[in-house]
Amino acid sequence: MQTTGAASPAEGRRGSTSPSCQTAFRATWTQVQQATLTLLLLSVVTGIIYPLAITGLAQWAFPRQANGSLIHRDGRPVASQWIGQAFTAPKYFWSRPSATTPMPYNAGASSGSNLGPTNPLLAQAVQDRVAALKTLDPDNTAPVPVDLVTASASGLDPHITPAAAAYQAARVAKARGLDLQTVQQAVARHTARRTLGLLGEPRVNVVELNLDLDLLPR
Amino acid sequence: MTTNAFLQIGLYLAVLVALARPLGAYMARVYEARPCGLDWACHGLERLVYRLCRIDPAAEMPWTTYAQSMLLFNFLGFVAVYALQRTQNLLPLNPESLPAVSPDLAMNTAVSFATNTNWQSYGGETTLSHLTQMLGLTVQNFLSAATGMAVLVALIRGFVRRNAATIGNFWFDLVRSTLYILLPLSIVGALSLVSQGVVQTFRPYEQLSLIEPTTDADGKPAAKQTIALGPAASQIAIKQLGTNGGGFFNANSAHPLENPTPLSSFLQLLAILLIPAALCCTFGQMVGDTRQGWAVLAAMFLLFVPLLVLGYAAEQAGNPRLAAFGLDQVASEMQPGGNMEGKEVRFGITQSALWAATTTAASNGSVNSMHDSYTPLGGLVPMWLMQLGEVIFGGVGSGLYGMLVFAIIAVFLAGLMVGRTPEYLGKKIEAFEMKMASLVILIPPLVVLVGTSLAVATDWGRSSILNCGAHGFSEVLYAFSSAGNNNGSAFAGLNANTPFYNLALALAMLVARYWLAIPTLAIAGSLARKKATPITAGTLPTHTPLFVLLLAGVVVLVGALTFVPALALGPIVEHLLLVGG
C-alpha cells in the first residue's frame, strides 16, 4: 500500500498569523463571549419562548388534552382518560398489575417492574396473580390472557386487551347481577380498534368502562 | 411475523424513506445558506442572534477553532444545567416544591444532556422542577443535537473543499440547525402530540379520588391518585427529533401522558429516525452525488431491518417460564400476546419491539417499553445496536459522522486488499485520517468494556443490580453500552442513581462524545486541506451495492469481534437458560 504525501496536517495550520500571547488571549475571550451570549439567547428562544408558545397554543386548541384528558362527572374531575387505576373488587374489570410505589397506579411516580424474564420473582408474581383471578372466578377455565397478569411499562396502563376483558366479563356480570350481554356491550363501547385499522393494538379502557358500569341500572 | 406487524413495520419504513429525501434536500440548503423556504420566518431571528452574540457568520474557522468553540459552548451548557438543578428549590416554576438535586445526580444529568445522551438517573416527575425541565433539559435537547449536526456538516465540508484551511463557522452551523431545522419541526411535533393527549400545562399535579380506594405498601388505605402534569409535549417533540431521549416522566414514552395513543407512538417513532435518515440525503446533496447518501442509508437499513425482525420475533414468542401457569401468550385479534411484562397494551409487541430497535439504532434512548423485562434475545438487539457504535442512523449528526468514519475504514480495508492508496469521495485517506478513525471506533468499546468490568468487579457496581445471574450482568453491560455510545436507554432495574454510577457513567458519556467529535473534526480539517484526486479506473466506487455490503460488513465485524464475548456472558447465557428450562 502506498501512503505518500503530507500525513501531518496537525502541524502548520496557524501559519498565517504569528500567535503572540495577546492575540491568542483576545481570540479566546471573543469565543467565550460568543459562547456565553449564544447560550443565553438560544436558551431564551428554546427554553422559554418555545415552551410558552406551545403551552399557549395547546391550551387554546386542545385544552382537554393539554391538561391530562380528565373525565368529568357532575362537573368534577373523576379520572384521567389515559391514567389507569387499580381495581380489586369482583364487580370491576381489573386493570393490569402496576409496579409503582408505594401504591399501584401512582401517577406521581411512574415505573415498570423491570423484572427480567428469568427472575424467579416474576414467575412467582405471575403465579400469584393467576391464582387470585382463579379464586374469584373458579368456573372460568380459559387460559389467562398474558397482559392481565404482567405489569405494564409505566405502571399506569389505562388499557387491557379485548381478550382480558372477555376473560373477566362473566365474573363482572355475576357480581353486578347483570346479564352477560349488557356487560359485553359496555365492553364494546369502550373498545378502541387499531388506528386506521393498522397502528397499535385493539384495547379496552378500564377506567372508562368501570365508570360506565357504575352508572348502569341493575 | 403477524400480518399486522409486517404492515406496521413496512409502513413505518416506507414513510421514513419518503420523508428523508425532501427533508435532506431542505437541510442541505440550510447549511449551504441557499434559500430554503423558511427564510421569511427564520432569517430575521437568525440575524438578531448573530448581532447580539457578536458573531460574524462568514468568519471561517480552522478545525481547531471549530472544536474549541464547540467544547466551550457545550461546557457552558453543562454548567447551566448543573446550576439550575442545584438551585431549583430557590427558583420559580417549581409547583411541587422539589428540593435541589444532589451534586452527583445533577452532574450526571448535566453531562447526560450536554452530550446528547440523556441517560436518566433522575426520576422526571419526582426530581426536576418545570423550570429545570424547560430551561435546562429542553434547551440542551436542542443545542446538543445542533452540536452534533454542526460537527457532521464540518466533516462534509472536509470532503467537499479543496486545498482549504477552514471547515466553516461553528456558530453559523449551530444557530441554523436550531432555528431552521429543529425548532420548526419541534413546533409541528409538539402540537401534534398535544392533540393526541400529551400534556402541556403549568398547573400543579392533579389530585383525584379513586373509583375504588386502594392500599399502599404498608397496608394504609389510599383514596387519592396524584397525576403528575407539566409542559411535556414541547420537550418530548425535541427529545425525539434531536435523538435525545430523556423523558419528561420517569417511565419515558411508556407513560400514557407522554405517549397516549398508537398514533402518538408512530409520530414519535418517525421523529426518532427522521433527521438521522434525512442527513444521509443531505450528505449526498452536499458532496454533489446523491448516490453516496443513498449508499450510506442503504447500509444502515441493511443492518437495522434484520435486527428489528429478530427483536420482534423474540418478544412475540413470549416467556416460556410463564407458560406453565396456564397463560395465553399467543397473538390473535383479541390480544398481541407475547412477552407483555413491561409493555403497554396500546403498543403491544410490534410498536414496542419497533421502538426498542429504533431508539437504540438511533442514539435516542427513549423507551415505550421496559427493556429490562425483554426476553434475552429481545434485549440483546437494543444492546448490540448501541454497541455497534451508534452508527446505524445514530444520533443526529453524530450517527452519520460515525458512519462516515466507518466508510473511511471500509475504503482503507478495500485499499489494503487491492494494494492502492484508499480514497473516499475524491480525497486520499492517509495515515493521519486512519489514526483519527481508529480512535473513533476504538474508544467507545474501550469505555464500555472497561466500565462494565470495573462495575462488576466492585461492590459499588454490583450492589445496584436488581435481577440476579446473567441478567444482572446484562443490566451493567447495557448501562455502559448506553453511556459509552451516548444512547441513554437503560435496563432500568439497575439503580444507577448512586455516586459510583453517576460518576462512572458521566465519565463514559464525556469520553464517548468528545473523543469522537474531536478526532472527527481533525479528519475534517485534514481532508479539507487536500486536493481532489481524479477518479480513475482503479478507484473504488462508493455508491455500489458492493460498497454497501462492505460498509455494513465492517460495522458488524468491529461490533461482533469486540462484544460477542461480553454478550455471551449476559443475554446469550440467559437465553440458553430460558429455553433449556
Side-chain angles (χ1 to χ4, degrees):
Chain A
M1 196 195 91
Q2 320 149 5
T3 44
T4 54
S8 55
E11 270 96 56
R13 95 176 30 80
R14 296 194 195 88
S16 50
T17 55
S18 67
S20 80
C21 236
Q22 210 172 6
T23 49
F25 176 80
R26 200 170 296 151
T28 310
W29 177 238
T30 309
Q31 272 184 322
V32 171
Q33 277 186 326
Q34 287 172 331
T36 313
L37 291 169
T38 309
L39 179 64
L40 279 175
L41 207 61
L42 290 182
S43 294
V44 170
V45 172
T46 61
I48 296 177
I49 299 176
Y50 161 70
L52 290 183
I54 296 291
T55 308
L57 285 168
Q59 292 289 340
W60 168 71
F62 309 105
R64 193 181 70 83
Q65 291 93 323
N67 294 310
S69 304
L70 299 178
I71 302 170
H72 290 82
R73 284 282 146 84
D74 310 321
R76 286 188 314 114
V78 291
S80 164
Q81 178 186 2
W82 300 127
I83 302 291
Q85 298 188 12
F87 296 97
T88 50
K91 65 170 183 168
Y92 286 121
F93 280 89
W94 291 6
S95 302
R96 300 185 60 196
S98 162
T100 62
T101 52
M103 71 281 272
Y105 285 90
N106 176 6
S110 53
S111 172
S113 76
N114 288 312
L115 294 178
T118 50
N119 195 323
L121 293 175
L122 173 68
Q124 189 59 51
V126 169
Q127 197 172 10
D128 292 348
R129 291 163 190 160
V130 170
L133 283 163
K134 296 269 182 203
T135 313
L136 273 188
D137 194 9
D139 304 333
N140 192 342
T141 54
V144 181
V146 61
D147 66 292
L148 197 52
V149 288
T150 46
S152 63
S154 61
L156 307 173
D157 197 341
H159 299 118
I160 52 176
T161 59
Y167 180 87
Q168 302 184 70
R171 182 197 78 216
V172 172
K174 196 170 146 199
R176 287 180 177 267
L178 294 168
D179 56 305
L180 183 59
Q181 211 188 353
T182 313
V183 172
Q184 283 169 338
Q185 281 165 352
V187 170
R189 280 198 297 278
H190 296 285
T191 303
R193 300 273 113 213
R194 290 191 170 109
T195 310
L196 309 171
L198 188 65
L199 299 179
E201 298 294 334
R203 56 208 180 274
V204 180
N205 190 307
V206 183
V207 168
E208 289 182 337
L209 173 59
N210 283 333
L211 279 172
D212 203 359
L213 286 174
D214 277 349
L215 292 181
L216 284 181
R218 286 244 166 168
Chain B
M1 200 172 212
T2 63
T3 317
N4 174 262
F6 184 79
L7 290 174
Q8 282 203 60
I9 291 171
L11 177 75
Y12 172 69
L13 298 177
V15 174
L16 182 65
V17 174
L19 291 176
R21 194 192 174 106
L23 181 63
Y26 170 81
M27 290 193 287
R29 288 175 162 273
V30 168
Y31 291 122
E32 289 171 341
R34 290 185 286 149
C36 64
L38 277 186
D39 303 272
W40 59 273
C42 305
H43 190 66
L45 187 55
E46 186 195 1
R47 303 305 316 173
L48 184 71
V49 171
Y50 294 149
R51 208 173 64 232
L52 293 179
C53 302
R54 301 172 197 177
I55 292 166
D56 172 11
E60 284 285 332
M61 294 176 174
W63 81 264
T64 42
T65 312
Y66 200 100
Q68 279 165 10
S69 301
M70 175 198 76
L71 289 172
L72 195 59
F73 183 70
N74 278 216
F75 176 71
L76 292 175
F78 159 81
V79 171
V81 179
Y82 182 83
L84 271 171
Q85 293 178 85
R86 296 287 292 140
T87 55
Q88 67 175 13
N89 52 330
L90 309 172
L91 297 171
L93 287 179
N94 184 7
E96 303 307 314
S97 307
L98 295 166
V101 181
S102 70
D104 60 310
L105 179 57
M107 191 275 300
N108 181 285
T109 307
V111 167
S112 169
F113 277 74
T115 57
N116 197 248
T117 312
N118 313 76
W119 169 265
Q120 258 181 279
S121 276
Y122 67 93
E125 65 267 44
T126 55
T127 318
L128 302 177
S129 74
H130 289 345
L131 188 76
T132 308
Q133 297 253 21
M134 278 165 56
L135 203 52
L137 306 195
T138 303
V139 168
Q140 283 306 313
N141 278 350
F142 277 98
L143 300 184
S144 66
T147 300
M149 294 160 89
V151 173
L152 170 68
V153 173
L155 177 62
I156 296 176
R157 289 201 191 102
F159 285 111
V160 174
R161 293 187 174 179
R162 319 266 182 248
N163 308 315
T166 58
I167 54 172
N169 181 299
F170 174 73
W171 308 114
F172 172 86
D173 295 337
L174 179 90
V175 170
R176 283 181 81 87
S177 299
T178 308
L179 298 183
Y180 282 77
I181 299 167
L182 297 172
L183 198 56
L185 283 171
S186 298
I187 292 171
V188 175
L191 290 174
S192 316
L193 290 177
V194 177
S195 79
Q196 292 299 302
V198 177
V199 289
Q200 180 73 24
T201 179
F202 285 96
R203 290 190 191 180
Y205 294 178
E206 194 73 50
Q207 294 277 347
L208 297 175
S209 298
L210 288 167
I211 299 169
E212 182 189 344
T214 182
T215 49
D216 68 14
D218 302 329
K220 279 189 287 211
K224 293 274 184 191
Q225 184 179 43
T226 303
I227 299 182
L229 301 170
S234 54
Q235 188 178 324
I236 293 158
I238 184 61
K239 128 186 158 184
Q240 308 300 19
L241 285 163
T243 59
N244 295 285
F248 191 90
F249 299 112
N250 186 44
N252 208 293
S253 281
H255 194 295
L257 294 180
E258 189 151 338
N259 192 7
T261 66
L263 186 59
S264 68
S265 187
F266 186 80
L267 291 173
Q268 291 188 38
L269 276 164
L270 266 185
I272 291 173
L273 287 192
L274 181 63
I275 296 179
L279 279 172
C280 294
C281 299
T282 307
F283 161 69
Q285 293 252 338
M286 288 180 74
V287 299
D289 181 359
T290 49
R291 295 173 308 179
Q292 303 290 345
W294 289 115
V296 172
L297 189 59
M300 292 177 176
F301 271 103
L302 191 64
L303 296 167
F304 176 64
V305 174
L307 285 169
L308 162 62
V309 172
L310 171 65
Y312 165 80
E315 290 309 293
Q316 188 64 70
N319 184 345
R321 293 255 166 114
L322 303 185
F325 309 129
L327 293 194
D328 183 2
Q329 299 190 72
V330 181
S332 70
E333 275 309 296
M334 298 282 278
Q335 66 162 6
N339 175 25
M340 284 299 286
E341 179 73 25
K343 294 193 181 63
E344 303 278 303
V345 164
R346 61 195 179 284
F347 307 137
I349 301 297
T350 309
Q351 278 199 335
S352 300
L354 178 58
W355 191 298
T358 302
T359 192
T360 48
S363 77
N364 182 283
S366 65
V367 294
N368 76 346
S369 56
M370 292 301 143
H371 294 182
D372 210 348
S373 297
Y374 271 43
T375 59
L377 294 185
L380 180 143
V381 167
M383 205 184 313
W384 202 47
L385 274 166
M386 295 187 298
Q387 290 164 346
L388 289 177
E390 289 300 0
V391 294
I392 305 167
F393 301 106
V396 289
S398 60
L400 185 54
Y401 68 65
M403 193 57 152
L404 293 178
V405 168
F406 268 102
I408 287 174
I409 307 267
V411 294
F412 173 75
L413 288 179
L416 282 182
M417 286 187 244
V418 296
R420 278 182 54 90
T421 306
E423 294 157 20
Y424 188 49
L425 303 170
K427 290 296 177 80
K428 274 203 167 72
I429 304 302
E430 292 167 301
F432 181 75
E433 288 79 33
M434 283 311 299
K435 283 182 198 159
M436 294 298 122
S438 308
L439 283 180
V440 171
I441 63 166
L442 290 180
I443 282 176
L446 187 76
V447 169
V448 173
L449 294 175
V450 171
T452 306
S453 320
L454 190 67
V456 295
T458 57
D459 279 333
W460 302 322
R462 286 194 303 264
S463 58
S464 287
I465 293 173
L466 171 73
N467 288 286
C468 45
H471 197 85
F473 176 76
S474 296
E475 286 182 350
V476 177
L477 180 62
Y478 196 102
F480 281 94
S481 301
S482 178
N485 290 282
N486 294 139
N487 180 278
S489 67
F491 271 15
L494 184 79
N495 173 23
N497 186 13
T498 64
F500 170 77
Y501 278 104
N502 278 335
L503 286 170
L505 294 172
L507 197 62
M509 291 187 270
L510 281 174
V511 173
R513 177 73 167 181
Y514 298 108
W515 281 102
L516 271 55
I518 295 169
T520 303
L521 287 172
I523 293 175
S526 163
L527 290 174
R529 301 171 77 83
K530 298 185 188 216
K531 61 183 195 306
T533 313
I535 294 172
T536 64
T539 307
L540 172 76
T542 51
H543 61 266
T544 57
L546 181 69
F547 182 74
V548 170
L549 277 177
L550 180 67
L551 177 55
V554 170
V555 173
V556 169
L557 201 66
V558 172
L561 287 178
T562 323
F563 287 107
V564 161
L567 290 171
L569 293 174
I572 294 174
V573 164
E574 195 190 13
H575 175 71
L576 296 175
L577 288 172
L578 191 66
V579 295

